[in-house]
Amino acid sequence: MDEAFRQLAGGVGLACALAAPTAVQAASSGYTQTKYPIVLVHGLFGFDQALGVDYWYRIPAELQQDGAKVYVAQVSATNSTETRGEQLLSQVRQVLAITGAAKVNLIGHSHGGPTVRYVAGVAPGLIASVTTVGGVNKGSRVADVARGALPPGSVSEAVAAGVARGLSGLISLASGGTQLPQDPVKALDALTTKSLADFNRRFPAGVPTSECGEGAYSQNGIRFYSWSGASTVTNILDPSDALLGLTGLVYGSASDGLVGTCSSHLGQVIRDNYWMNHVDEINHFFGLVHLFETSPVTLYRQQANRLKNAGL
């Protein structure tokens, strides 16, 4: 069993631990009980769990509480979409083998968006639905600016890549994914507008054909959904808001600080203007989100119920 699967199995163990007791089952409303398992996929510099901290803060447990089977994938914190996608595909097959399910529901945040779309493109028969949350579906202006400031082969690129590689290495060490390859330059390239345009030509399912419209709700037997925030500074107690407030300045239109609102669109757009930034979308920093917006945890619960009602 490889290390990535051990991390995945940890999520399986958590799911089973929460689902096993009779009292928990009796209390479950079935609100989130989808037909197919849900697999959560992290974004750039992401992880499943590191030093006891969940990337998806409180989200898996809340979904499991009312009947969902939830698995948290671990892919390279920094690498190309294709590399991350192949890692995810392997874990999806392991989930199917463990559960006996025919398909899974994929939910990807940030770079997890193109990652789950890659798997849906190369193995559509294994996927019931794809949901992207703050997904970089048409590229990130922040990545474009960073790439412009770090020309290929330059000293500045080498220095930045070294720092990013060190950070991703620490993340891998803390999360137990040290065997996963890291390549910050490939990750940066993958998130640019130019690279995503090429990716979308190869994997067009669910991608809007207009600049800021919706895409096909269903293609190749897969349902497509998306939602995102459209704010940068949402809670002054959240230390990540300062950074996202700065990165959001590169946009001339609404964004979550790292991804433009229109770029996040895929398939059925549930909503694209939540008072959330890129970090709020996964309920971090430890739940310090906008006080007057729907809880991010509630959005994931609603999505699970939406999938359930669609027979997925």
Side-chain angles (χ1 to χ4, degrees):
M1 181 185 295
D2 60 36
E3 184 63 29
F5 183 58
R6 276 197 289 271
Q7 292 299 319
L8 181 65
V12 174
L14 175 61
C16 292
L18 289 173
T22 302
V24 171
Q25 289 295 331
S28 172
S29 69
Y31 180 79
T32 63
Q33 192 169 351
T34 55
K35 178 178 179 180
Y36 302 111
I38 293 172
V39 178
L40 301 173
V41 184
H42 65 74
L44 183 70
F45 291 115
F47 48 89
D48 53 355
Q49 185 183 80
L51 302 178
V53 177
D54 291 324
Y55 180 89
W56 307 89
Y57 184 63
R58 289 184 49 221
I59 293 165
E62 290 287 339
L63 293 174
Q64 291 159 352
Q65 180 175 292
D66 282 323
K69 291 182 179 179
V70 182
Y71 299 85
V72 178
Q74 184 183 33
V75 298
S76 293
T78 56
N79 216 313
S80 69
T81 300
E82 291 78 6
T83 296
R84 287 165 49 95
E86 286 296 322
Q87 294 166 358
L88 175 59
L89 178 57
S90 174
Q91 293 174 56
V92 164
R93 287 176 170 145
Q94 290 164 347
V95 168
L96 297 179
I98 290 167
T99 63
K103 299 180 179 183
V104 298
N105 293 300
L106 295 175
I107 300 180
H109 173 247
S110 189
H111 194 185
T115 303
V116 298
R117 289 176 49 211
Y118 173 87
V119 175
V122 299
L126 305 182
I127 310 303
S129 72
V130 162
T131 303
T132 66
V133 182
V136 194
N137 291 316
K138 288 191 174 181
S140 168
R141 174 65 179 155
V142 175
D144 294 342
V145 171
R147 185 25 115 190
L150 305 169
S154 66
V155 173
S156 57
E157 180 195 59
V159 172
V163 172
R165 190 172 289 108
L167 176 58
S168 57
L170 287 174
I171 291 170
S172 293
L173 182 63
S175 61
T178 52
Q179 87 298 338
L180 294 171
Q182 307 295 338
D183 194 323
V185 174
K186 287 184 178 179
L188 175 60
D189 284 337
L191 297 174
T192 63
T193 302
K194 179 180 178 180
S195 291
L196 262 297
D198 176 67
F199 181 84
N200 290 341
R201 282 189 288 270
R202 292 182 287 129
F203 301 100
V207 178
T209 55
S210 61
E211 181 180 358
C212 203
E214 291 186 298
Y217 285 17
S218 179
Q219 282 184 259
N220 303 324
I222 302 171
R223 290 292 300 267
F224 292 89
Y225 305 88
S226 62
W227 81 76
S228 64
S231 300
T232 55
V233 178
T234 59
N235 189 316
I236 60 173
L237 299 178
D238 183 348
S240 66
D241 278 30
L243 175 61
L244 292 170
L246 288 174
T247 56
L249 294 176
V250 306
Y251 289 95
S253 56
S255 79
D256 64 7
L258 289 178
V259 180
T261 294
C262 294
S263 179
S264 73
H265 287 194
L266 184 79
Q268 180 181 350
V269 179
I270 296 165
R271 187 174 156 188
D272 66 0
N273 63 346
Y274 288 106
W275 283 346
M276 296 179 187
N277 60 34
H278 203 67
V279 175
D280 295 336
E281 291 161 355
I282 50 172
N283 200 36
H284 271 293
F285 183 78
F286 299 101
L288 289 178
V289 297
H290 200 290
L291 295 177
F292 301 109
E293 181 56 274
T294 305
S295 165
V297 175
T298 298
L299 298 187
Y300 287 88
R301 285 174 48 81
Q302 289 174 342
Q303 180 62 2
N305 181 256
R306 189 175 288 111
L307 296 173
K308 172 188 174 181
N309 292 337
L312 304 174

